[in-house]
Amino acid sequence: MQINGLLGELIQALCCLPGVGPKSAQRMAFHLLQRDRQGAGNLARCLLEAVDKLQQCSVCRTLTEEKICAICASPSRDQSLLCIVENPADVWIVDQATFFAGVYFVLHGRLSPLDDIGPEELGLELLEQRFASGDVKEAVLATNSTVEGEATAHFIAELAHRHRVKASRIAHGVPMGGELEFIDSGTLAHAFNGRTDL
Amino acid sequence: MQINGLLGELIQALCCLPGVGPKSAQRMAFHLLQRDRQGAGNLARCLLEAVDKLQQCSVCRTLTEEKICAICASPSRDQSLLCIVENPADVWIVDQATFFAGVYFVLHGRLSPLDDIGPEELGLELLEQRFASGDVKEAVLATNSTVEGEATAHFIAELAHRHRVKASRIAHGVPMGGELEFIDSGTLAHAFNGRTDL
């Protein structure tokens, strides 16, 4: 006997969450209905409001409920320092972990011709306008360290150079606390190439 | 910098799901907003409807959108065979795994004096009425095999005996496919005590 009706629909709807399969969805559904109906109602309200109101910032393309996001609108941010990341999540990750005081630009992906993701999908036109305006002095490329991420970084670096904007790439190397024994050779080679004076 | 606004609220709301901490909640929120807004809207709708309409069946206390659940209302079910389980989820688990063709009674917990869960919270009054009515011939006790689950089973068995209803407990023993080497001694002792003729 299958779980039908509203309960079945709820379990199927919960499967849209990343990392949640039918078994966890079933557990979540029963937990919410038996022990946290208030939380479930609150979650529904937040989902509806977020889907309705969160849109891309017209300047940096991160997710925001305003027309221009809090970071782009902040007068204390250095508008000449531009960090380019793949996802809105990366904005928060970089901002929480570093002392970076510039602004961001979100690509919402990376160049991937096989998946039909080209410069247009990444909003590179908007980015180029910003380079052309002369307001940006340095573009910090913080795309992921995957093959596509690297290719995207190089593509954008060329774009920046064309407009005489300095482009830099975040360092690759041994993670803090990492032991050489457990580091892959590619990372170790990068760490040697990128060594700094002490 | 913290994630504020609607996005922060959504992340916090997602934390009400079991097994979801702030990191997974963040990943889920960004996934839904970037890649599956339709799924998010659908999830919100299902949550609201489920919280609004799913209530306890007036006969067996499982979750249902009707007054009486499909199992209790089914004419093909043997009403004299009553399986007693701790949670609504257990109803589906037993029904999917076994050929049990009777009906269920859901306790929504187990006896646990320290947590203030007594016979009243488990609806044992309703259960006793059913025993007293004379319609039930056998009560199959399928509470979990924990200390509280066992205690609850014994408590209900006494209740059944008082109304001359036969009470049985699901078997404890070696799981199918299990190797003796890896079975704990308590389970193995149970398996020997409960041996059946071949």
Side-chain angles (χ1 to χ4, degrees), chain A residues 1 3 6 16-17 30 32-34 36-37 40 43-44 47-48 51 53-54 65 88-89 92 95-96 108, chain B residues 1 3 6 14 16-17 30 32-34 36-37 40 44 47-48 51 53-54 65 88-89 92 95-96 108:
Chain A
M1 178 155 175
I3 302 189
L6 288 178
C16 80
L17 296 170
F30 281 114
L32 290 177
L33 290 168
Q34 285 189 273
D36 198 4
R37 287 194 175 223
L43 174 56
L47 277 169
L48 286 175
V51 166
K53 298 207 181 128
L54 284 175
E65 61 228 70
W92 307 107
D95 230 57
Q96 276 164 14
H108 288 281
Chain B
M1 177 156 175
I3 301 190
L6 288 180
L14 281 164
C16 80
L17 296 172
F30 281 116
L32 290 177
L33 291 168
Q34 286 189 272
D36 198 3
R37 288 193 174 223
L47 276 169
L48 287 175
V51 166
K53 298 208 182 129
L54 284 176
E65 61 229 71
W92 306 107
D95 231 57
Q96 277 165 13
H108 287 282

Side-chain angles (χ1 to χ4, degrees), chain A residues 18-29:
Chain A
V20 175
K23 278 264 168 190
S24 334
Q26 191 173 318
R27 202 162 48 91
M28 285 174 171

Side-chain angles (χ1 to χ4, degrees), chain A residues 4-20:
Chain A
N4 292 321
L6 288 178
L7 194 55
E9 275 177 48
L10 174 59
I11 291 171
Q12 209 155 26
L14 280 164
C15 287
C16 80
L17 296 170
V20 175

Side-chain angles (χ1 to χ4, degrees), chain B residues 105-183:
Chain B
F105 187 86
V106 180
L107 301 172
H108 287 282
R110 67 226 98 173
L111 288 178
S112 179
L114 286 177
D115 303 320
D116 263 338
I117 298 177
E120 217 163 286
E121 281 73 23
L122 303 185
L124 293 193
E125 213 167 307
L126 192 63
L127 184 61
E128 195 168 4
Q129 281 171 21
R130 246 168 119 176
F131 286 157
S133 72
D135 293 341
V136 180
K137 286 208 188 91
E138 181 177 349
V140 182
L141 294 155
T143 52
N144 290 331
S145 187
T146 56
V147 177
E148 290 104 337
E150 292 292 340
T152 310
H154 281 104
F155 188 91
I156 295 174
E158 273 181 41
L159 206 68
H161 291 149
R162 226 175 292 152
H163 293 279
R164 295 166 195 271
V165 171
K166 182 180 159 192
S168 60
R169 179 91 173 105
I170 52 169
H172 294 132
V174 182
M176 295 298 287
E179 296 190 42
L180 294 193
E181 197 180 341
F182 303 113
I183 306 284

